[in-house]
Structures are given as structure tokens and as C-alpha cells.
Amino acid sequence: MNSNDVNTKKENNNISKLIIFILLITMICMVLVSGTYARYVSTASGSATARVAKWVFNVNDTDIATSNTVEFKLFDTILDTDGSAETDVVKGLIAPGTKGEFTLNLTNASEVKAQYEINYTVTNDNSVPIKYSVDGGTNWTTDLADIVAGDATTLEAGASAAPITIQWEWAFEGNEAKDNELGNLARTTAPTVTVAAEITASQYVEP
Amino acid sequence: MKKNENKTSKFICIVLLLCIIAMILVAGTYAKYVSKATGSATATVAKWDVYYNDQQLTYDNSNVNFTLFADDELLYPGKTGTFNFKLQNKSEVAATYGIDFEVNGTENLPIEFSLTGVDGSWTADLSDATGTLPAGQTAATTVTGYWRWNPTNGDEADTLLGVEAANATKNVEVSATLIVEQAQ
């Protein structure tokens, strides 16, 4: 390679660098002055917000979404056979001829449809002859679970279910021998009857 | 050796991947609001605990001591006597009682009874005694009865009875049935 060729190549490189430099400057200028050109310009923005539906299911004013226990005062008010206040039995105890009731008020205060079910458990080791009804006394059973076997019922958002009244009764004219056996047993170890209600509410999901 | 390890690793990866996919697919079915609460109530049976003359009564006491006359009590004009029953209700329920008296052998004997006191009404047929016993009695209720030889029977009749008694035994028998029931 002679000296002329070397010079020619060197010049070409310089020209290329110059062109790239000019292009770069041009681009920078375009960016800087672009805002000054008049043209149609539209801008828009949009946003969407979704709120989570609340979940509130009240059982007698207790929100079971936040509390896993509810008051179930089935035996708090003990009445005489005729429905008047029981005066022949020591307060808080049951005996033949006593009865009572308790009402569950369920409200779906949620913003979603819900379904609920109530399961009752009766613990009655000494077979105290108490019978129960949840239909106003039309049907009676010794095992609450027989009547309301956990049937799920739906409840629209914000709706309340019809009050559920659980009635119990120990017949005055029943089995005297059995009643006496229980009364005598109570001298030493008082037989007890415990009724538990488990209320489960869940968001209704279309099948 | 290394080849086997690679295969195992691949297999584990595939299984894990399948699990993740399955979980994603079924997640929608399980996700929902659910709440559960329980409440319970317990009732206690009231005790039944009644006594006759300090003897505890059960469902069917076939016999209790019923002392209306003393042993070998002799009856004669002018004779009087009293009898007492103690009833106590230590139950947790109120009770009622009834004593059903049955008098035999007075056809020819002028024995009279009263449950209303010596100045009360007297009758040859001892009427039933009834009453109430409140729950949890700490002291017994006493039922008091009275008997007497009818003072208006007359000397002649009284004498005749005495003469007859010399030849044949004449007795008065009083039996009683006590029922204590839970008050309704």
C-alpha cells in the first residue's frame, strides 16, 4: 500500500465521522424543537377501580365473619307448661312441665348472595325426654338434627331470613318412672342437656 | 449415573408443573367467602328430693310407717289423740301432696277425726289432706290430725260397746296413701 492509498482511506474515515456527527446533531435538534411545531394533539387517560364486596353475615347481631361464637340462649328462659313464667322450679333448672324457646335471626348484610346452613348437636347422655320443634310446634323430635339436617338455604345480599325459633319442651305428663329416675339422679349428679348450633354461611356460588 | 439424575429431576419438574397448573385451574371453584360460628346452651335437670317423717321417698315406696294410734291403743269414751306427719320438700321443684285416708271398722264405733283442729269439724270419715310444699324446704311441714271418741254418742251406746268388746275384739283401722307430686 502506497502513501496515496493511506491518505485516501484516512479521508474517508473522517468523512464518515463527520456524517455521523451531523446526523446526531440533527436528531438532537429535532427532539429539542419538536414541541414548537403546531399540530393536532390529543391525549386521554382512563382508570378503573373495583371495590371488594363486603362479607358480613349476622346471627342475632353477631357478625360471624369476625366472631366464631354466637349466643345461643335456648335454656335461658324457662317457662311453665302454659307459657307463663315458671315459678315451681328453681331458676335455671329444667323439670317435667318446663319449656322454652330461642330465636335465631340471620341477616346477610354482605354485598354478595350467601347460603347458610345450621347444624344442631344434642348431647343428652341421660336421655332427658326433651323434644324440639322448629316449625312452631307442628312437628316435634327428640333429636333436633332430624328436622333440620343441614339443609342449605340461600339469602340474597342484604336480605334477612325468616326468624328461626327453636322450641323445647319436657312434657309434664310423660313417663313418671323415668322423670323420677332423673330427678333422683339429680340429687347427686344432675343430668344435663346441651344443644349446640353451628351456623355456616358462605358466599353462594352458582352450581 | 448423571443421566439418571437428570431424568429424575425432569420427572419431578413435570410433576410440580402439573400440580401448579391443576391448582390454578381449580382455584376459582374454592375461592369464596366462608364463615362459621357456633353457640351452645346447656340445661340442668332439677333434683327431686322429698321426705316423709325424715324418710326419703322414691318413685314407689310401698310402705312407710303410719302412726295414728300408739301400739295397743285402747279406745274408750273420752279418749282423744293426735297424729303428726312431717313432709319436707328438698327438691328444686315445688310439690303438692295428698294424703288419702281410709277408715275401716267404725261402723259401730263412735270415732271421729279432724284435720282442722280440736275446735274444727269432726267426721267419722277422715277427709283427705292436701297442700303444697315449696321447693328447697329447710324445715318440714307438719300435718296434724286429731281423733276422739264422739262425746255425744251417749252413755247407753258407749256402755253397750264396752260390753261387746269384752266378748269380741273391736278395732278401728286407718290406712293412708301419701302422694307427693311435682307442682305444675
Side-chain angles (χ1 to χ4, degrees), chain A residues 57-64 69-74 101-108 118 160-166 199, chain B residues 37:
Chain A
F57 199 94
N58 290 326
V59 176
N60 291 356
D61 298 328
T62 298
D63 179 11
I64 66 170
T69 57
V70 292
E71 287 186 334
F72 189 60
K73 299 178 176 178
L74 186 61
E101 63 181 42
F102 182 68
T103 300
L104 288 171
N105 292 299
L106 276 55
T107 300
N108 176 23
I118 305 171
S160 295
I164 302 161
T165 299
I166 304 113
I199 301 132

Side-chain angles (χ1 to χ4, degrees), chain B residues 111-165:
Chain B
I111 302 298
E112 294 180 320
F113 302 91
S114 172
L115 290 171
T116 54
V118 290
D119 296 324
S121 60
W122 290 88
T123 174
D125 184 17
L126 186 54
S127 57
D128 294 345
T130 57
T132 58
L133 302 169
Q137 281 189 301
T138 53
T141 294
T142 302
V143 178
T144 302
Y146 305 87
W147 59 266
R148 70 179 182 182
W149 186 288
N150 185 352
T152 62
N153 195 45
D155 292 345
E156 186 180 349
D158 289 347
T159 304
L160 182 61
L161 284 169
V163 172
E164 287 177 357

